[in-house]
Amino acid sequence: MDPDATTDDGNGGESVAGARPDHLDDGHAPSDLIARLDVTDPSFIDDPYPALDALREATPIFWNPSSGQWMLTRFADIASTLRDRRVGRGFTHRYSHEEFGRPAPDPRWAAFHEHERWSLLSLEPPDHTRLRRLVSKVFTPTSIARLRGRVTAFADQRLDRCAEIAADAGSFDLLGDYAQPYSVAVICSMLGVPVEDADRLLAWSHAIVKMYELTSADATRVAANRAAEEYIAYTRELIAEKRRHPDDLLVSQLVQVTDEGDSLTEDEIVCTTMVLVEAGHEATVNTLGNGFRALMHHPDQWRRLTSGELAPGDSVEELLRYDAPLQMFERWVLDDGVEIAGQPIDVGQEVAMLFGSAQRDPRRFDDPGRFDIGRNDPSHVGFGGGIHFCIGAPLARMELAVSVDGIVRRFPDLTLAAEPENHPTFVIRGLKELRLSP
């Protein structure tokens, strides 16, 4: 969602800019289902899948007047749209805001926009091609594989702490006691960020990602912009330190990388470093939280792991699919003549791909509402697709596999200590905590 296209309505909600398309055929739109799609409703947050299933089976695409977006519901359309070069994550490489019919960036959120300016998630070719080529020279499968021993050590250290906490309290919080400190320790170690700064990075990341929700109050945006400003200043200082004292870790490598005389600018290194922390941390933590809630609700699947029937790593793809940590991803239509699921879409319109709906599409997955950790199907859209396929996917998969393996070995009799509560967000889906008893 474009953070500049929304305004607070004075009642804690928002009005959303987005003109109703002239060629919208309401006769084919499930208007009653769309009217009931309230992504802020606590019952929807608790379980969005009945509503998403109903929309998906009613229509492959619909216009959401509350967000000013076309929304895609089915796997095939979403997978093809992710690869369609006529739609893009950004539009300023080809159009001015005025030409595109969008508001100019709100100066109140200047730091947030600065933090996104050179993000791989936001760029389009040729800038994306150049930046990804340079980043890929240091963010390689080989460099990720070398981290496995260190990642396993971080996992074991945190699981030792979880055992100590459970010995005193009878349970531990998989998120606060394990997943969050584990994932940020991994990314700090990889980047070369001092581990004592981990809590600051966590706080900044949590504040910034709230800007990607469909609705956000101005207070949330102020906090996100402040976090981005502080995070940018911190990262610039880190880069300066790596220039003075280079090492073999990622930030230092990004400072030094060259290719045919080309190199990364400081702004590009700042944005790349920040997106790796935000995307990597949020995905790992929320996949573990959502996934282990599902495992505790399906003890037969948990026993498939603890009995040795399945290797722990075999469960990773289903954890990513079944209760997606990223529920929606967006693209802008850049060219004339775009038609998706039979619907013509104009230049300047935004397309929102409902990943959570796609991952439960029976046209793609057999019995998709069934949690089956032996499914082991890596062709889901949990890591996106096309040129914006997540560059950190190998690291995320390794972090998840190491975590599942360690938890299965240490706590084979794990049970749910209390029913968890979701964060009141839709786009990034996760739990506030997950208390487990060993």
Side-chain angles (χ1 to χ4, degrees):
M1 185 67 191
D2 181 355
D4 298 315
T6 58
T7 56
D8 197 307
D9 66 6
N11 296 308
E14 295 174 327
S15 59
V16 183
R20 180 185 183 277
D22 293 332
H23 49 67
L24 177 62
D25 185 351
D26 289 320
H28 296 289
S31 56
D32 59 328
L33 295 177
I34 296 170
R36 295 200 301 268
L37 180 63
D38 180 1
V39 300
T40 66
D41 185 338
S43 63
F44 178 85
I45 295 294
D46 284 346
D47 185 5
Y49 298 109
L52 294 177
D53 289 347
L55 281 164
R56 183 187 59 248
E57 297 315 304
T59 181
I61 186 170
F62 65 93
W63 176 257
N64 185 349
S66 67
S67 66
Q69 299 167 307
W70 289 103
M71 290 193 157
L72 304 183
T73 64
R74 296 179 183 171
F75 186 94
D77 297 316
I78 288 173
S80 63
T81 301
L82 286 168
R83 298 189 299 270
D84 193 334
R85 298 303 309 127
R86 300 172 301 167
V87 298
R89 282 290 290 166
F91 58 83
T92 55
H93 62 298
R94 288 182 51 183
Y95 302 92
S96 69
H97 286 82
E98 183 178 18
E99 290 171 333
F100 211 61
R102 310 304 299 182
D106 191 326
R108 293 179 297 170
W109 324 130
F112 173 79
H113 292 304
E114 182 184 350
H115 124 283
E116 282 215 312
R117 173 64 184 89
W118 297 102
S119 165
L120 279 170
L121 284 176
S122 302
L123 290 174
E124 290 295 308
D127 288 328
H128 179 276
T129 306
R130 170 185 163 274
L131 184 60
R132 184 154 183 143
R133 185 186 73 247
L134 286 165
V135 173
S136 295
K137 289 178 72 68
V138 297
F139 205 82
T140 65
T142 300
S143 67
I144 299 302
R146 284 200 299 264
L147 287 172
R148 191 176 189 96
R150 196 182 310 169
V151 169
T152 301
F154 286 137
D156 289 342
Q157 180 184 39
R158 292 312 309 177
L159 291 172
D160 285 345
R161 181 60 185 145
C162 289
E164 293 171 358
I165 292 169
D168 291 334
S171 67
F172 64 91
D173 174 15
L174 182 70
L175 302 186
D177 296 328
Y178 175 76
Q180 290 179 358
Y182 161 72
S183 68
V184 79
V186 170
I187 198 66
C188 284
S189 172
M190 182 178 181
L191 292 170
V193 174
V195 69
E196 58 267 23
D197 292 338
D199 288 345
R200 298 168 69 189
L201 268 63
L202 275 176
W204 288 328
S205 176
H206 290 332
I208 289 169
V209 298
K210 289 182 173 63
M211 283 287 258
Y212 300 114
E213 295 299 321
L214 282 171
T215 60
S216 56
D218 272 0
T220 300
R221 300 180 193 191
V222 168
N225 195 70
R226 184 186 306 115
E229 186 175 30
E230 294 173 359
Y231 201 172
I232 289 168
Y234 172 88
T235 308
R236 291 194 188 284
E237 291 178 8
L238 179 66
I239 292 168
E241 174 63 21
K242 298 299 182 183
R243 291 190 194 281
R244 292 190 296 268
H245 304 289
D247 54 34
D248 62 349
L249 302 174
L250 187 58
V251 173
S252 189
Q253 290 177 319
L254 291 174
V255 169
Q256 299 171 50
V257 68
T258 59
D259 183 21
E260 298 179 0
D262 193 8
S263 60
L264 294 168
T265 68
E266 182 171 294
D267 287 346
E268 290 168 344
I269 299 170
V270 167
C271 292
T272 299
T273 300
M274 293 174 74
V275 76
L276 288 173
V277 172
E278 292 165 23
H281 164 74
E282 299 290 339
T284 299
V285 171
N286 292 327
T287 299
L288 285 172
N290 298 350
F292 267 82
R293 172 172 60 181
L295 282 166
M296 296 300 97
H297 283 168
H298 297 82
D300 60 319
Q301 298 299 309
W302 178 242
R303 285 193 295 273
R304 295 178 76 186
L305 292 173
T306 58
S307 69
E309 175 191 340
L310 292 173
D314 291 341
S315 68
V316 168
E317 306 305 334
E318 186 72 345
L319 299 186
L320 287 160
R321 181 201 72 88
Y322 181 74
D323 194 3
L326 179 63
Q327 288 281 316
M328 192 181 83
F329 205 55
E330 295 147 322
R331 292 283 197 276
W332 296 102
V333 174
L334 304 175
D335 291 327
D336 291 322
V338 171
E339 184 177 294
I340 301 175
Q343 174 65 58
I345 304 180
D346 295 333
V347 171
Q349 293 289 341
E350 193 174 28
V351 177
M353 296 167 284
L354 296 174
F355 280 10
S357 174
Q359 305 286 55
R360 299 286 188 102
D361 189 346
R363 297 159 190 80
R364 171 60 185 80
F365 301 100
D366 292 334
D367 196 6
R370 179 169 58 91
F371 181 56
D372 175 9
I373 60 166
R375 197 184 298 266
N376 202 14
D377 183 348
S379 60
H380 52 76
V381 292
F383 291 117
I387 66 168
H388 288 102
F389 183 82
C390 177
I391 197 170
L395 176 61
R397 284 182 161 120
M398 181 178 71
E399 286 185 72
L400 293 169
V402 167
S403 293
V404 176
D405 179 58
I407 295 167
V408 166
R409 285 188 290 102
R410 294 291 295 274
F411 307 118
D413 300 320
L414 208 60
T415 57
L416 195 62
E419 193 61 38
E421 182 180 351
N422 287 85
H423 282 294
T425 53
F426 165 60
V427 175
I428 297 176
R429 178 168 171 78
L431 305 175
K432 293 182 177 179
E433 66 173 7
L434 184 65
R435 299 215 65 84
L436 302 174
S437 297

